Amino acid sequence: MRSWTLRRRLVALVVGLVVVVAGAMGAVSTLALRGSMVGRLDDDLRASSGRAVGAEDLGGPDALPGGADGGRFPVGPPPGLDVRGQRAGTVSLTVRDGAVSSGRIDDAGGVARLDDEQVDVLAAVEPGAAPVTRALPGLGRYRVLAATTAAGDLVVTGIATTEVDRTVRDYLVVETLVALVGVLVAGVAGRAVVRRELRPLERVATTATRVSKVPLATGEVRPVERVPAADTDPRTEVGQVGAALNRLLDHVETSLAARHASETQVRQFVADASHELRTPLASIRGYAELVRRLRAEVPDDVVRAMGRVEAESRRMTRLVEDMLLLARLDAGRELERTDVDLGMLAADAVPDARAAGPDHRWRLDLPPLADDGEDGAPAAVVTGDAPRLHQVLVNLLANARVHTPPGTTVVTSVRRDGDVVVLAVTDDGPGVAPALVPHLFQRFSRGDAARSPGSGSTGLGLAIADAVVRAHDGTIEVVSRPGATRFVVRLPAAAG
Ligand SMILES: Nc1ncnc2c1ncn2[C@@H]1O[C@H](COP(=O)(O)OP(=O)(O)OP(=O)(O)O)[C@@H](O)[C@H]1O
Ligand SMILES: [Mg+2]
């Protein structure tokens, strides 16, 4: 029941209430009806009993004919039945000096004797002021009153309750039918009303659901949907929910906008700072180079020191370039959109890697080229920014060179898989430390070896690859274990 919908619960409640009320009303009115009818019957019974007692006083069974058959019925029918006014179905029993006389007025107006069992039931009734109900075998239920005459005879009179019982039963049937119809109507109408009343709540929930599907995690906050004004009337409960939801959305929207603004500021600051650093770095590099060229005129240790300055400034330049690039990608700066053949890109980048790392084995695995007029493999062409995609590949190849020992084999493969172009760089080096894998694509995350001074590692290479690939609506992932490290880039293939 706890998991029932509110609508179901309300309808069940309405129906339940109607059942309870109809039941209570039916029970009370039936009891009242029955009470009043029995009351009237008892009045009749008292009158009837009075007449019977009067007749007994006047004459008694001796005065009547009959009495010839002996046994339990030595006398004629009780005089109480032979009085004017006794209705059909009335039973009477008289006991005088141990002699029992009994009878019942049948429907034709004659008097029929009662059998032994019936007599036993009637004879057992105690004389008293209040009528009691007794079931007479074969005759049904009777209201019975016993009285004693002045002469000490017992006179028991009974009137059938058949009429009352039938009326009450009919009334009960009608009432049950009416109650059933009432419950049915309450169910159907309740359902319709509850459904109509809850519809605004459903609309509010639908709005909330739709808002929950709006991507809010990144990017500029666009205005999200609101609950329509009709469902925000604070005088109704549903309106209060709708209004509260709208206030919540206002709050979320302004907070996100503020957050986005401050993020943008930080990003802009990083971009500006990186940009500003390029010029002084270029001069430092230039002066260091100058010293290198004037080697003959400067003491050796100064040349060595300036060599370090040059190397470090080169490294810093790369870092600054990387940071600038990331800041621009973060800012959602538009990428160039041209057709880029990843196969060609790989064919360019792998020889460069081979030149940089001659101690590694570099392999390129490309699908066979399509001859003119023949069906070859579909071209591995994507739409995107060629220099950026080139950088992704360069970063992956640099990692396979820098973070693996000499002799490692590095396989670069490009293939088209349906609507996706898959670029993979696989090496059989020692692999990425498992603890590093979950953070591999985060900024400045690098392995312990890469942290050692002079390694030239910054930990931005994969972060850049990730940002570039995502800007192209692609994915990059890694599977690594010792002996098999595989970086896979998936990009949507260019249309057509
Ligand atoms: N092919 C690989 N084999 C083993 N470890 C790798 C491999 N590629 C990356 N890693 C690990 O992942 C870390 C992060 O790589 P990432 O390219 O982001 O940074 P980096 O290479 O350390 O520095 P940067 O590329 O900015 O010069 C590396 O420091 C290295 O520990
Ligand atoms: Mg790297």
Side-chain angles (χ1 to χ4, degrees), residues 395 398-399 403 461-462:
N395 286 1
N399 282 350
H403 304 297
L462 289 176

Side-chain angles (χ1 to χ4, degrees), residues 178-238:
V178 170
L180 281 180
V181 170
V183 167
L184 206 70
V185 168
V188 171
R191 215 176 115 89
V193 169
V194 167
R195 177 173 290 217
R196 201 195 58 208
E197 292 302 312
L198 287 185
R199 201 160 294 150
L201 201 59
E202 277 167 19
R203 284 199 296 268
V204 172
T206 315
T207 306
T209 312
R210 272 201 299 265
V211 170
S212 70
K213 289 187 181 134
V214 175
L216 294 174
T218 53
E220 201 168 337
V221 189
R222 255 164 291 154
V224 294
E225 193 184 341
R226 291 296 141 86
V227 177
D231 295 334
T232 56
D233 185 346
R235 286 170 303 182
T236 67
E237 285 83 353
V238 174

Side-chain angles (χ1 to χ4, degrees), residues 217-290:
T218 53
E220 201 168 337
V221 189
R222 255 164 291 154
V224 294
E225 193 184 341
R226 291 296 141 86
V227 177
D231 295 334
T232 56
D233 185 346
R235 286 170 303 182
T236 67
E237 285 83 353
V238 174
Q240 285 166 12
V241 174
L245 182 65
N246 275 356
R247 279 197 300 280
L248 174 71
L249 290 177
D250 285 343
H251 178 63
V252 167
E253 209 174 86
T254 44
S255 312
L256 282 180
R259 194 170 274 226
H260 180 70
S262 83
E263 262 172 29
T264 311
Q265 261 177 4
V266 170
R267 226 175 260 149
Q268 191 58 44
F269 170 74
V270 173
D272 290 348
S274 318
H275 189 74
E276 290 303 318
L277 283 171
R278 285 160 123 191
T279 322
L281 275 170
S283 352
I284 293 174
R285 242 180 13 248
Y287 283 113
E289 263 175 40
L290 186 67

